[in-house]
Amino acid sequence: KNEVEQSPQNLTAQEGEFITINCSYSVGISALHWLQQHPGGGIVSLFMLSSGKKKHGRLIATINIQEKHSSLHITASHPRDSAVYICAVPDKLIFGTGTRLQVFP
Amino acid sequence: EAGVAQSPRYKIIEKRQSVAFWCNPISGHATLYWYQQILGQGPKLLIQFQNNGVVDDSQLPKDRFSAERLKGVDSTLKIQPAKLEDSAVYLCASSLDTDGTQYFGPGTRLLVL
């Protein structure tokens, strides 16, 4: 069993839909990262979370330390959100397998 | 007394990209060390400086790693290009001299995707 599990592995959505990607981890952490990787390989760090909730534009990330669970939400999804989303625990050098999101017009 | 400072604390890059780490040792410490600690393993000495001269770089992968300590104080460690197996914690330490107690910085955690 991976120490960081993501679900779903693949996700398709229509433009405008609300999207949730989940990440569960079994190790103790000080912070968790959400990363976005677009086709072609560019990686962007979206959030670094150690507690609570963060919001940036249409993206919201939450973390529940007690339940060892984090979620990434995308409101009003758009085709340009199509990418692979990865949760990572950098201080343990481990990361999830990624969720491939495709948003269709 | 200020301890050993390192930056950045975290770095996430793609393979084949370049990355640089910085270390500021304790004031007056002549000897500076860079270590690589891969998860689950002990630290491996990459390079040791005495002032601005290299004492030991036998375990430094010189095809991709380089380090300098031009003025005998701060030091930078560079990886170019990075590989997946470079994911590790990079620790900097300093000591008054080569036989002295080593004081470690907080480390830089590198993740290569």
Side-chain angles (χ1 to χ4, degrees), chain A residues 27-64:
Chain A
V27 295
I29 67 168
S30 58
L32 182 140
H33 276 253
W34 280 102
L35 311 172
Q36 180 192 54
Q37 184 173 23
H38 276 107
I43 292 178
V44 174
S45 178
L46 298 174
F47 297 102
M48 185 174 75
L49 287 168
S50 54
S51 65
K53 173 180 169 179
K54 286 188 176 180
K55 184 176 188 292
H56 182 70
R58 296 180 294 105
L59 301 177
I60 303 167
T62 62
I63 190 166
N64 185 319

Side-chain angles (χ1 to χ4, degrees), chain A residues 15 36-39 58 74-85 101-105:
Chain A
E15 184 173 355
Q36 180 192 54
Q37 184 173 23
H38 276 107
R58 296 180 294 105
I74 305 175
T75 61
S77 60
H78 190 277
R80 64 175 174 266
D81 297 326
S82 298
V84 175
Y85 293 84
L101 171 66
Q102 288 184 293
V103 182
F104 294 99

